[in-house]
Amino acid sequence: MFELLAGTGVALPGTGGLLRFGMDEYAAGRALAALADARPVPVPGAAWGYSARWGDLTVAVRADEPNRAAEQAREPLLHTVVLTRARSASDGPGGTPVVLDDIDLFGYPAAEVLHALGPVPPPGLWTEPPHGRGYLTAVALGGEPAPPPAGRRTSAAAEAAEVERALAGYAPLWTTERDRWQLQEAGGGHLPRLRDEPGTTLLVCDDALARRITAAMLAAGVEVVPETP
């Protein structure tokens, strides 16, 4: 069982320990390797990332975007854990429990899960829209961002600039690494995925940023593939 602990991290099955937000790259990679065979994966917009397979799940960890991490710490630290189910099995309940507050996120129909989570999800939780499927296929849990320094005011212009900086971090998807990526149709939208690893989907927890990334990839002529049945 994977247990999502909002604001803390993800407890791994058995004696796997805890993927705690704020871990450095070595500690996060070692914790994931204790669970299964972990390997580094390219994650545009992030300083580093690793993934591993466990049963019917892919577990991925990544540091925050380099510019934000530089503000929070001297080195990029673990910020997000993503758990993704094999899409071929997404019409039924998951084989591995992924639990948040006693709710098995992959064990019950998506409508029931979203209703149980309520109108305001726990801090840092993101669920991939079911896109007409009966069950959720992916969830992500992120650490809380550090508060702004005392006296710093957040303006609309500053927020817009932050979005532009984040978008720039994903530019390889439609420029230098365009041939490595595809866009998979999904419920009227698109999900970026690695061409050579169709099961590896890039999940962006900010919906507005995700739409900007998809639009840039479409404009650049990245290949679009049909939704997996």
Side-chain angles (χ1 to χ4, degrees):
M1 179 182 77
F2 291 83
E3 183 176 6
L4 277 59
L5 306 170
T8 300
V10 176
L12 301 175
T15 58
L18 177 67
L19 286 168
R20 183 182 296 277
F21 298 133
M23 280 180 162
D24 62 22
E25 181 177 4
Y26 174 77
R30 183 177 60 182
L32 194 60
L35 175 70
D37 183 23
R39 57 188 179 84
V41 293
V43 184
W48 50 260
Y50 292 87
S51 72
R53 290 296 302 273
W54 173 268
D56 60 339
L57 296 176
T58 297
V59 187
V61 299
R62 65 173 180 255
D64 202 1
E65 297 88 349
N67 63 301
R68 186 180 298 173
E71 296 175 359
Q72 295 181 8
R74 294 183 179 179
E75 60 179 317
L77 304 176
L78 174 63
H79 183 269
T80 306
V81 181
V82 183
L83 298 106
T84 307
R85 294 182 58 198
R87 290 179 179 273
S88 59
S90 61
D91 290 331
T96 303
V98 175
V99 176
L100 172 69
D101 294 336
D102 296 326
I103 304 169
D104 186 352
L105 302 178
F106 294 150
Y108 295 92
E112 294 182 21
V113 170
L114 297 177
H115 177 76
L117 291 174
V120 180
L125 179 69
W126 177 88
T127 59
E128 183 183 11
H131 298 305
R133 299 175 183 272
Y135 292 74
L136 296 176
T137 59
V139 298
L141 188 66
E144 285 294 308
R152 178 180 175 184
R153 296 182 178 179
T154 301
S155 66
E159 291 178 355
E162 179 65 23
V163 170
E164 291 302 322
R165 285 195 295 269
L167 183 65
Y170 290 90
L173 272 72
W174 58 88
T175 57
T176 57
E177 298 183 6
R178 182 178 64 181
D179 293 340
R180 298 186 59 194
W181 292 87
Q182 298 173 322
L183 283 168
Q184 178 179 312
E185 295 177 342
H190 298 85
L191 293 174
R193 72 177 193 182
L194 284 170
R195 180 187 300 272
D196 295 333
E197 300 180 42
T200 303
T201 302
L202 177 66
L203 300 179
V204 180
C205 300
D206 184 317
D207 290 339
L209 179 58
R211 289 193 292 270
R212 294 283 301 277
I213 292 169
T214 298
M217 295 177 74
L218 288 169
V222 174
E223 180 187 16
V224 177
V225 296
E227 183 173 5
T228 303

mmCIF file of all heavy atoms in Angstrom, residues 160-210:
data_model
loop_
_atom_site.group_PDB
_atom_site.id
_atom_site.type_symbol
_atom_site.label_atom_id
_atom_site.label_comp_id
_atom_site.label_asym_id
_atom_site.label_seq_id
_atom_site.Cartn_x
_atom_site.Cartn_y
_atom_site.Cartn_z
ATOM 1 N N ALA A 160 2.449 36.119 -13.414
ATOM 2 C CA ALA A 160 2.564 35.858 -14.852
ATOM 3 C C ALA A 160 4.010 35.589 -15.237
ATOM 4 O O ALA A 160 4.295 34.703 -16.053
ATOM 5 C CB ALA A 160 2.008 37.035 -15.647
ATOM 6 N N ALA A 161 4.925 36.337 -14.646
ATOM 7 C CA ALA A 161 6.344 36.128 -14.933
ATOM 8 C C ALA A 161 6.792 34.755 -14.459
ATOM 9 O O ALA A 161 7.603 34.089 -15.120
ATOM 10 C CB ALA A 161 7.176 37.221 -14.277
ATOM 11 N N GLU A 162 6.257 34.298 -13.329
ATOM 12 C CA GLU A 162 6.604 32.974 -12.812
ATOM 13 C C GLU A 162 6.111 31.880 -13.759
ATOM 14 O O GLU A 162 6.810 30.894 -14.008
ATOM 15 C CB GLU A 162 5.994 32.781 -11.424
ATOM 16 C CG GLU A 162 6.275 31.433 -10.786
ATOM 17 C CD GLU A 162 7.738 31.201 -10.488
ATOM 18 O OE1 GLU A 162 8.485 32.192 -10.364
ATOM 19 O OE2 GLU A 162 8.140 30.022 -10.383
ATOM 20 N N VAL A 163 4.907 32.068 -14.308
ATOM 21 C CA VAL A 163 4.385 31.097 -15.271
ATOM 22 C C VAL A 163 5.282 31.055 -16.510
ATOM 23 O O VAL A 163 5.586 29.976 -17.035
ATOM 24 C CB VAL A 163 2.936 31.453 -15.664
ATOM 25 C CG1 VAL A 163 2.480 30.596 -16.839
ATOM 26 C CG2 VAL A 163 2.010 31.251 -14.483
ATOM 27 N N GLU A 164 5.711 32.208 -16.974
ATOM 28 C CA GLU A 164 6.571 32.254 -18.161
ATOM 29 C C GLU A 164 7.905 31.565 -17.893
ATOM 30 O O GLU A 164 8.437 30.864 -18.751
ATOM 31 C CB GLU A 164 6.799 33.698 -18.588
ATOM 32 C CG GLU A 164 5.569 34.393 -19.138
ATOM 33 C CD GLU A 164 4.981 33.666 -20.348
ATOM 34 O OE1 GLU A 164 5.754 33.151 -21.183
ATOM 35 O OE2 GLU A 164 3.740 33.620 -20.457
ATOM 36 N N ARG A 165 8.462 31.748 -16.687
ATOM 37 C CA ARG A 165 9.721 31.082 -16.345
ATOM 38 C C ARG A 165 9.524 29.576 -16.298
ATOM 39 O O ARG A 165 10.367 28.804 -16.770
ATOM 40 C CB ARG A 165 10.245 31.591 -15.006
ATOM 41 C CG ARG A 165 10.854 32.983 -15.060
ATOM 42 C CD ARG A 165 11.671 33.274 -13.815
ATOM 43 N NE ARG A 165 10.848 33.330 -12.616
ATOM 44 C CZ ARG A 165 10.291 34.440 -12.151
ATOM 45 N NH1 ARG A 165 10.463 35.593 -12.800
ATOM 46 N NH2 ARG A 165 9.569 34.422 -11.051
ATOM 47 N N ALA A 166 8.390 29.133 -15.709
ATOM 48 C CA ALA A 166 8.114 27.699 -15.657
ATOM 49 C C ALA A 166 7.935 27.133 -17.063
ATOM 50 O O ALA A 166 8.448 26.059 -17.382
ATOM 51 C CB ALA A 166 6.875 27.432 -14.806
ATOM 52 N N LEU A 167 7.230 27.868 -17.931
ATOM 53 C CA LEU A 167 6.999 27.410 -19.299
ATOM 54 C C LEU A 167 8.325 27.261 -20.042
ATOM 55 O O LEU A 167 8.513 26.295 -20.800
ATOM 56 C CB LEU A 167 6.088 28.395 -20.025
ATOM 57 C CG LEU A 167 5.688 28.011 -21.459
ATOM 58 C CD1 LEU A 167 4.832 26.762 -21.458
ATOM 59 C CD2 LEU A 167 4.943 29.175 -22.123
ATOM 60 N N ALA A 168 9.235 28.175 -19.801
ATOM 61 C CA ALA A 168 10.531 28.108 -20.471
ATOM 62 C C ALA A 168 11.282 26.833 -20.119
ATOM 63 O O ALA A 168 12.041 26.295 -20.930
ATOM 64 C CB ALA A 168 11.369 29.333 -20.111
ATOM 65 N N GLY A 169 11.054 26.320 -18.920
ATOM 66 C CA GLY A 169 11.729 25.098 -18.514
ATOM 67 C C GLY A 169 11.283 23.874 -19.291
ATOM 68 O O GLY A 169 12.014 22.877 -19.358
ATOM 69 N N TYR A 170 10.079 23.949 -19.890
ATOM 70 C CA TYR A 170 9.555 22.832 -20.668
ATOM 71 C C TYR A 170 9.829 22.980 -22.170
ATOM 72 O O TYR A 170 9.417 22.132 -22.951
ATOM 73 C CB TYR A 170 8.042 22.709 -20.448
ATOM 74 C CG TYR A 170 7.655 22.229 -19.081
ATOM 75 C CD1 TYR A 170 7.427 23.124 -18.039
ATOM 76 C CD2 TYR A 170 7.512 20.877 -18.812
ATOM 77 C CE1 TYR A 170 7.075 22.684 -16.777
ATOM 78 C CE2 TYR A 170 7.153 20.427 -17.555
ATOM 79 C CZ TYR A 170 6.933 21.335 -16.537
ATOM 80 O OH TYR A 170 6.595 20.896 -15.290
ATOM 81 N N ALA A 171 10.516 24.030 -22.562
ATOM 82 C CA ALA A 171 10.732 24.315 -23.982
ATOM 83 C C ALA A 171 11.350 23.156 -24.767
ATOM 84 O O ALA A 171 11.042 23.008 -25.959
ATOM 85 C CB ALA A 171 11.590 25.580 -24.137
ATOM 86 N N PRO A 172 12.214 22.309 -24.167
ATOM 87 C CA PRO A 172 12.760 21.194 -24.961
ATOM 88 C C PRO A 172 11.685 20.288 -25.554
ATOM 89 O O PRO A 172 11.926 19.638 -26.581
ATOM 90 C CB PRO A 172 13.631 20.440 -23.946
ATOM 91 C CG PRO A 172 14.066 21.494 -22.979
ATOM 92 C CD PRO A 172 12.880 22.418 -22.852
ATOM 93 N N LEU A 173 10.483 20.234 -24.963
ATOM 94 C CA LEU A 173 9.437 19.367 -25.490
ATOM 95 C C LEU A 173 9.041 19.752 -26.911
ATOM 96 O O LEU A 173 8.581 18.900 -27.675
ATOM 97 C CB LEU A 173 8.202 19.397 -24.593
ATOM 98 C CG LEU A 173 8.178 18.393 -23.437
ATOM 99 C CD1 LEU A 173 9.162 18.796 -22.360
ATOM 100 C CD2 LEU A 173 6.781 18.270 -22.854
ATOM 101 N N TRP A 174 9.157 21.023 -27.266
ATOM 102 C CA TRP A 174 8.779 21.427 -28.620
ATOM 103 C C TRP A 174 9.944 22.045 -29.388
ATOM 104 O O TRP A 174 9.759 22.579 -30.469
ATOM 105 C CB TRP A 174 7.598 22.395 -28.588
ATOM 106 C CG TRP A 174 7.815 23.654 -27.799
ATOM 107 C CD1 TRP A 174 8.352 24.827 -28.241
ATOM 108 C CD2 TRP A 174 7.472 23.868 -26.426
ATOM 109 N NE1 TRP A 174 8.383 25.760 -27.242
ATOM 110 C CE2 TRP A 174 7.843 25.208 -26.111
ATOM 111 C CE3 TRP A 174 6.880 23.089 -25.428
ATOM 112 C CZ2 TRP A 174 7.647 25.757 -24.852
ATOM 113 C CZ3 TRP A 174 6.707 23.626 -24.181
ATOM 114 C CH2 TRP A 174 7.080 24.943 -23.897
ATOM 115 N N THR A 175 11.158 21.932 -28.833
ATOM 116 C CA THR A 175 12.340 22.454 -29.547
ATOM 117 C C THR A 175 13.383 21.345 -29.688
ATOM 118 O O THR A 175 13.274 20.502 -30.568
ATOM 119 C CB THR A 175 12.914 23.688 -28.817
ATOM 120 O OG1 THR A 175 13.235 23.333 -27.449
ATOM 121 C CG2 THR A 175 11.930 24.843 -28.830
ATOM 122 N N THR A 176 14.375 21.326 -28.810
ATOM 123 C CA THR A 176 15.519 20.419 -28.988
ATOM 124 C C THR A 176 15.172 18.948 -28.815
ATOM 125 O O THR A 176 15.844 18.081 -29.374
ATOM 126 C CB THR A 176 16.639 20.796 -28.007
ATOM 127 O OG1 THR A 176 16.130 20.749 -26.661
ATOM 128 C CG2 THR A 176 17.164 22.194 -28.305
ATOM 129 N N GLU A 177 14.120 18.627 -28.029
ATOM 130 C CA GLU A 177 13.756 17.224 -27.777
ATOM 131 C C GLU A 177 12.405 16.886 -28.404
ATOM 132 O O GLU A 177 11.766 15.907 -28.021
ATOM 133 C CB GLU A 177 13.732 16.930 -26.276
ATOM 134 C CG GLU A 177 15.085 17.112 -25.600
ATOM 135 C CD GLU A 177 15.055 16.745 -24.129
ATOM 136 O OE1 GLU A 177 14.012 16.251 -23.664
ATOM 137 O OE2 GLU A 177 16.075 16.956 -23.439
ATOM 138 N N ARG A 178 11.986 17.663 -29.394
ATOM 139 C CA ARG A 178 10.656 17.478 -29.977
ATOM 140 C C ARG A 178 10.457 16.069 -30.530
ATOM 141 O O ARG A 178 9.381 15.487 -30.383
ATOM 142 C CB ARG A 178 10.450 18.501 -31.091
ATOM 143 C CG ARG A 178 9.071 18.435 -31.731
ATOM 144 C CD ARG A 178 8.918 19.491 -32.791
ATOM 145 N NE ARG A 178 9.847 19.267 -33.901
ATOM 146 C CZ ARG A 178 9.932 20.064 -34.966
ATOM 147 N NH1 ARG A 178 9.160 21.141 -35.039
ATOM 148 N NH2 ARG A 178 10.785 19.801 -35.927
ATOM 149 N N ASP A 179 11.494 15.494 -31.132
ATOM 150 C CA ASP A 179 11.365 14.170 -31.741
ATOM 151 C C ASP A 179 11.239 13.055 -30.715
ATOM 152 O O ASP A 179 10.923 11.915 -31.078
ATOM 153 C CB ASP A 179 12.559 13.888 -32.656
ATOM 154 C CG ASP A 179 12.572 14.796 -33.875
ATOM 155 O OD1 ASP A 179 11.506 15.352 -34.202
ATOM 156 O OD2 ASP A 179 13.647 14.957 -34.490
ATOM 157 N N ARG A 180 11.508 13.341 -29.442
ATOM 158 C CA ARG A 180 11.400 12.324 -28.395
ATOM 159 C C ARG A 180 9.997 12.231 -27.813
ATOM 160 O O ARG A 180 9.699 11.313 -27.067
ATOM 161 C CB ARG A 180 12.385 12.619 -27.263
ATOM 162 C CG ARG A 180 13.853 12.609 -27.664
ATOM 163 C CD ARG A 180 14.734 12.774 -26.450
ATOM 164 N NE ARG A 180 14.499 11.700 -25.499
ATOM 165 C CZ ARG A 180 14.916 11.723 -24.228
ATOM 166 N NH1 ARG A 180 15.546 12.776 -23.765
ATOM 167 N NH2 ARG A 180 14.665 10.706 -23.434
ATOM 168 N N TRP A 181 9.121 13.203 -28.165
ATOM 169 C CA TRP A 181 7.825 13.302 -27.500
ATOM 170 C C TRP A 181 6.679 13.156 -28.494
ATOM 171 O O TRP A 181 6.809 13.428 -29.677
ATOM 172 C CB TRP A 181 7.707 14.639 -26.765
ATOM 173 C CG TRP A 181 8.633 14.726 -25.598
ATOM 174 C CD1 TRP A 181 9.937 15.145 -25.598
ATOM 175 C CD2 TRP A 181 8.336 14.357 -24.253
ATOM 176 N NE1 TRP A 181 10.466 15.055 -24.339
ATOM 177 C CE2 TRP A 181 9.514 14.575 -23.497
ATOM 178 C CE3 TRP A 181 7.206 13.865 -23.619
ATOM 179 C CZ2 TRP A 181 9.572 14.325 -22.135
ATOM 180 C CZ3 TRP A 181 7.255 13.609 -22.254
ATOM 181 C CH2 TRP A 181 8.430 13.838 -21.530
ATOM 182 N N GLN A 182 5.539 12.721 -27.961
ATOM 183 C CA GLN A 182 4.282 12.655 -28.692
ATOM 184 C C GLN A 182 3.204 13.297 -27.827
ATOM 185 O O GLN A 182 3.375 13.496 -26.629
ATOM 186 C CB GLN A 182 3.886 11.201 -28.968
ATOM 187 C CG GLN A 182 4.851 10.421 -29.832
ATOM 188 C CD GLN A 182 4.466 8.952 -29.895
ATOM 189 O OE1 GLN A 182 4.016 8.372 -28.892
ATOM 190 N NE2 GLN A 182 4.641 8.339 -31.054
ATOM 191 N N LEU A 183 2.079 13.603 -28.457
ATOM 192 C CA LEU A 183 0.898 14.062 -27.733
ATOM 193 C C LEU A 183 -0.190 13.012 -27.884
ATOM 194 O O LEU A 183 -0.621 12.718 -29.002
ATOM 195 C CB LEU A 183 0.416 15.407 -28.271
ATOM 196 C CG LEU A 183 1.227 16.623 -27.842
ATOM 197 C CD1 LEU A 183 0.836 17.842 -28.661
ATOM 198 C CD2 LEU A 183 1.025 16.900 -26.359
ATOM 199 N N GLN A 184 -0.596 12.425 -26.784
ATOM 200 C CA GLN A 184 -1.652 11.406 -26.824
ATOM 201 C C GLN A 184 -2.999 12.051 -26.568
ATOM 202 O O GLN A 184 -3.177 12.793 -25.592
ATOM 203 C CB GLN A 184 -1.393 10.333 -25.766
ATOM 204 C CG GLN A 184 -2.486 9.263 -25.720
ATOM 205 C CD GLN A 184 -2.188 8.211 -24.689
ATOM 206 O OE1 GLN A 184 -1.088 7.675 -24.620
ATOM 207 N NE2 GLN A 184 -3.171 7.915 -23.855
ATOM 208 N N GLU A 185 -3.952 11.811 -27.474
ATOM 209 C CA GLU A 185 -5.297 12.328 -27.276
ATOM 210 C C GLU A 185 -5.894 11.704 -26.014
ATOM 211 O O GLU A 185 -5.725 10.508 -25.751
ATOM 212 C CB GLU A 185 -6.169 12.000 -28.484
ATOM 213 C CG GLU A 185 -5.706 12.697 -29.761
ATOM 214 C CD GLU A 185 -6.537 12.305 -30.962
ATOM 215 O OE1 GLU A 185 -7.216 11.261 -30.879
ATOM 216 O OE2 GLU A 185 -6.510 13.018 -31.971
ATOM 217 N N ALA A 186 -6.598 12.524 -25.238
ATOM 218 C CA ALA A 186 -7.162 12.031 -23.979
ATOM 219 C C ALA A 186 -8.369 12.878 -23.608
ATOM 220 O O ALA A 186 -8.220 14.014 -23.152
ATOM 221 C CB ALA A 186 -6.117 12.080 -22.865
ATOM 222 N N GLY A 187 -9.555 12.340 -23.855
ATOM 223 C CA GLY A 187 -10.780 12.999 -23.429
ATOM 224 C C GLY A 187 -10.951 14.423 -23.922
ATOM 225 O O GLY A 187 -11.383 15.299 -23.179
ATOM 226 N N GLY A 188 -10.589 14.682 -25.165
ATOM 227 C CA GLY A 188 -10.721 16.023 -25.711
ATOM 228 C C GLY A 188 -9.497 16.882 -25.527
ATOM 229 O O GLY A 188 -9.431 17.985 -26.059
ATOM 230 N N GLY A 189 -8.504 16.381 -24.778
ATOM 231 C CA GLY A 189 -7.254 17.097 -24.586
ATOM 232 C C GLY A 189 -6.083 16.255 -25.050
ATOM 233 O O GLY A 189 -6.248 15.294 -25.806
ATOM 234 N N HIS A 190 -4.902 16.611 -24.608
ATOM 235 C CA HIS A 190 -3.695 15.893 -24.996
ATOM 236 C C HIS A 190 -2.769 15.751 -23.799
ATOM 237 O O HIS A 190 -2.708 16.632 -22.938
ATOM 238 C CB HIS A 190 -2.955 16.645 -26.110
ATOM 239 C CG HIS A 190 -3.731 16.801 -27.372
ATOM 240 N ND1 HIS A 190 -4.624 17.831 -27.560
ATOM 241 C CD2 HIS A 190 -3.758 16.047 -28.501
ATOM 242 C CE1 HIS A 190 -5.182 17.722 -28.752
ATOM 243 N NE2 HIS A 190 -4.673 16.664 -29.353
ATOM 244 N N LEU A 191 -2.029 14.629 -23.756
ATOM 245 C CA LEU A 191 -1.046 14.377 -22.710
ATOM 246 C C LEU A 191 0.305 14.117 -23.363
ATOM 247 O O LEU A 191 0.418 13.241 -24.216
ATOM 248 C CB LEU A 191 -1.442 13.165 -21.860
ATOM 249 C CG LEU A 191 -2.700 13.307 -21.001
ATOM 250 C CD1 LEU A 191 -3.038 11.972 -20.347
ATOM 251 C CD2 LEU A 191 -2.494 14.372 -19.936
ATOM 252 N N PRO A 192 1.347 14.859 -22.992
ATOM 253 C CA PRO A 192 2.684 14.582 -23.539
ATOM 254 C C PRO A 192 3.211 13.248 -23.011
ATOM 255 O O PRO A 192 3.062 12.937 -21.819
ATOM 256 C CB PRO A 192 3.540 15.752 -23.014
ATOM 257 C CG PRO A 192 2.554 16.800 -22.605
ATOM 258 C CD PRO A 192 1.345 16.060 -22.153
ATOM 259 N N ARG A 193 3.811 12.458 -23.905
ATOM 260 C CA ARG A 193 4.415 11.193 -23.480
ATOM 261 C C ARG A 193 5.678 10.948 -24.293
ATOM 262 O O ARG A 193 5.821 11.438 -25.413
ATOM 263 C CB ARG A 193 3.442 10.031 -23.656
ATOM 264 C CG ARG A 193 3.204 9.631 -25.107
ATOM 265 C CD ARG A 193 2.287 8.428 -25.219
ATOM 266 N NE ARG A 193 2.299 7.874 -26.565
ATOM 267 C CZ ARG A 193 1.551 6.843 -26.963
ATOM 268 N NH1 ARG A 193 0.721 6.288 -26.108
ATOM 269 N NH2 ARG A 193 1.642 6.382 -28.190
ATOM 270 N N LEU A 194 6.592 10.183 -23.717
ATOM 271 C CA LEU A 194 7.816 9.838 -24.414
ATOM 272 C C LEU A 194 7.525 8.856 -25.542
ATOM 273 O O LEU A 194 6.796 7.878 -25.344
ATOM 274 C CB LEU A 194 8.827 9.232 -23.440
ATOM 275 C CG LEU A 194 9.547 10.217 -22.516
ATOM 276 C CD1 LEU A 194 10.318 9.463 -21.444
ATOM 277 C CD2 LEU A 194 10.478 11.122 -23.306
ATOM 278 N N ARG A 195 8.080 9.105 -26.712
ATOM 279 C CA ARG A 195 7.817 8.272 -27.884
ATOM 280 C C ARG A 195 8.268 6.820 -27.649
ATOM 281 O O ARG A 195 7.561 5.877 -28.006
ATOM 282 C CB ARG A 195 8.543 8.845 -29.102
ATOM 283 C CG ARG A 195 8.342 8.064 -30.387
ATOM 284 C CD ARG A 195 9.234 8.628 -31.485
ATOM 285 N NE ARG A 195 8.928 10.022 -31.758
ATOM 286 C CZ ARG A 195 8.006 10.419 -32.630
ATOM 287 N NH1 ARG A 195 7.299 9.528 -33.305
ATOM 288 N NH2 ARG A 195 7.792 11.701 -32.849
ATOM 289 N N ASP A 196 9.443 6.634 -27.070
ATOM 290 C CA ASP A 196 9.985 5.289 -26.885
ATOM 291 C C ASP A 196 9.454 4.606 -25.640
ATOM 292 O O ASP A 196 9.706 3.426 -25.427
ATOM 293 C CB ASP A 196 11.519 5.344 -26.818
ATOM 294 C CG ASP A 196 12.124 5.817 -28.137
ATOM 295 O OD1 ASP A 196 11.477 5.607 -29.177
ATOM 296 O OD2 ASP A 196 13.225 6.402 -28.099
ATOM 297 N N GLU A 197 8.742 5.346 -24.785
ATOM 298 C CA GLU A 197 8.176 4.779 -23.562
ATOM 299 C C GLU A 197 6.744 5.277 -23.437
ATOM 300 O O GLU A 197 6.462 6.186 -22.662
ATOM 301 C CB GLU A 197 9.005 5.172 -22.342
ATOM 302 C CG GLU A 197 10.456 4.715 -22.398
ATOM 303 C CD GLU A 197 11.226 5.136 -21.172
ATOM 304 O OE1 GLU A 197 10.677 5.024 -20.064
ATOM 305 O OE2 GLU A 197 12.376 5.593 -21.327
ATOM 306 N N PRO A 198 5.809 4.686 -24.192
ATOM 307 C CA PRO A 198 4.436 5.190 -24.208
ATOM 308 C C PRO A 198 3.774 5.249 -22.836
ATOM 309 O O PRO A 198 2.848 6.016 -22.633
ATOM 310 C CB PRO A 198 3.710 4.205 -25.138
ATOM 311 C CG PRO A 198 4.797 3.642 -26.002
ATOM 312 C CD PRO A 198 6.011 3.565 -25.125
ATOM 313 N N GLY A 199 4.244 4.431 -21.904
ATOM 314 C CA GLY A 199 3.640 4.453 -20.567
ATOM 315 C C GLY A 199 4.112 5.603 -19.715
ATOM 316 O O GLY A 199 3.595 5.825 -18.621
ATOM 317 N N THR A 200 5.127 6.355 -20.193
ATOM 318 C CA THR A 200 5.667 7.467 -19.422
ATOM 319 C C THR A 200 5.015 8.756 -19.883
ATOM 320 O O THR A 200 5.340 9.306 -20.932
ATOM 321 C CB THR A 200 7.195 7.565 -19.593
ATOM 322 O OG1 THR A 200 7.783 6.325 -19.205
ATOM 323 C CG2 THR A 200 7.757 8.675 -18.733
ATOM 324 N N THR A 201 4.049 9.225 -19.110
ATOM 325 C CA THR A 201 3.313 10.441 -19.432
ATOM 326 C C THR A 201 3.793 11.572 -18.545
ATOM 327 O O THR A 201 4.000 11.393 -17.351
ATOM 328 C CB THR A 201 1.799 10.236 -19.216
ATOM 329 O OG1 THR A 201 1.360 9.140 -20.028
ATOM 330 C CG2 THR A 201 1.019 11.476 -19.598
ATOM 331 N N LEU A 202 3.983 12.732 -19.133
ATOM 332 C CA LEU A 202 4.395 13.901 -18.373
ATOM 333 C C LEU A 202 3.157 14.536 -17.749
ATOM 334 O O LEU A 202 2.253 14.977 -18.448
ATOM 335 C CB LEU A 202 5.095 14.914 -19.286
ATOM 336 C CG LEU A 202 5.512 16.227 -18.628
ATOM 337 C CD1 LEU A 202 6.583 15.988 -17.583
ATOM 338 C CD2 LEU A 202 5.977 17.225 -19.669
ATOM 339 N N LEU A 203 3.107 14.563 -16.432
ATOM 340 C CA LEU A 203 1.986 15.149 -15.719
ATOM 341 C C LEU A 203 2.384 16.522 -15.185
ATOM 342 O O LEU A 203 3.389 16.662 -14.500
ATOM 343 C CB LEU A 203 1.549 14.248 -14.568
ATOM 344 C CG LEU A 203 1.102 12.841 -14.973
ATOM 345 C CD1 LEU A 203 0.711 12.049 -13.744
ATOM 346 C CD2 LEU A 203 -0.066 12.911 -15.944
ATOM 347 N N VAL A 204 1.596 17.522 -15.511
ATOM 348 C CA VAL A 204 1.833 18.883 -15.044
ATOM 349 C C VAL A 204 0.664 19.261 -14.145
ATOM 350 O O VAL A 204 -0.489 19.290 -14.585
ATOM 351 C CB VAL A 204 1.956 19.862 -16.223
ATOM 352 C CG1 VAL A 204 2.203 21.282 -15.714
ATOM 353 C CG2 VAL A 204 3.066 19.426 -17.165
ATOM 354 N N CYS A 205 0.948 19.517 -12.888
ATOM 355 C CA CYS A 205 -0.130 19.701 -11.911
ATOM 356 C C CYS A 205 -0.842 21.045 -12.025
ATOM 357 O O CYS A 205 -1.919 21.218 -11.480
ATOM 358 C CB CYS A 205 0.432 19.535 -10.494
ATOM 359 S SG CYS A 205 1.150 17.905 -10.202
ATOM 360 N N ASP A 206 -0.243 22.000 -12.728
ATOM 361 C CA ASP A 206 -0.879 23.297 -12.958
ATOM 362 C C ASP A 206 -1.605 23.220 -14.297
ATOM 363 O O ASP A 206 -0.982 23.149 -15.351
ATOM 364 C CB ASP A 206 0.191 24.391 -12.973
ATOM 365 C CG ASP A 206 -0.395 25.792 -13.104
ATOM 366 O OD1 ASP A 206 -1.322 25.974 -13.917
ATOM 367 O OD2 ASP A 206 0.082 26.703 -12.410
ATOM 368 N N ASP A 207 -2.938 23.244 -14.266
ATOM 369 C CA ASP A 207 -3.722 23.055 -15.491
ATOM 370 C C ASP A 207 -3.445 24.146 -16.527
ATOM 371 O O ASP A 207 -3.381 23.870 -17.729
ATOM 372 C CB ASP A 207 -5.215 23.022 -15.162
ATOM 373 C CG ASP A 207 -5.610 21.763 -14.416
ATOM 374 O OD1 ASP A 207 -4.863 20.774 -14.493
ATOM 375 O OD2 ASP A 207 -6.663 21.771 -13.747
ATOM 376 N N ALA A 208 -3.293 25.386 -16.074
ATOM 377 C CA ALA A 208 -3.036 26.474 -17.019
ATOM 378 C C ALA A 208 -1.686 26.278 -17.702
ATOM 379 O O ALA A 208 -1.555 26.476 -18.916
ATOM 380 C CB ALA A 208 -3.081 27.817 -16.295
ATOM 381 N N LEU A 209 -0.687 25.875 -16.940
ATOM 382 C CA LEU A 209 0.633 25.625 -17.510
ATOM 383 C C LEU A 209 0.578 24.441 -18.465
ATOM 384 O O LEU A 209 1.188 24.466 -19.538
ATOM 385 C CB LEU A 209 1.651 25.364 -16.401
ATOM 386 C CG LEU A 209 3.093 25.051 -16.830
ATOM 387 C CD1 LEU A 209 3.662 26.181 -17.668
ATOM 388 C CD2 LEU A 209 3.960 24.785 -15.609
ATOM 389 N N ALA A 210 -0.175 23.404 -18.100
ATOM 390 C CA ALA A 210 -0.302 22.230 -18.968
ATOM 391 C C ALA A 210 -0.906 22.608 -20.315
ATOM 392 O O ALA A 210 -0.473 22.125 -21.364
ATOM 393 C CB ALA A 210 -1.156 21.170 -18.279
#
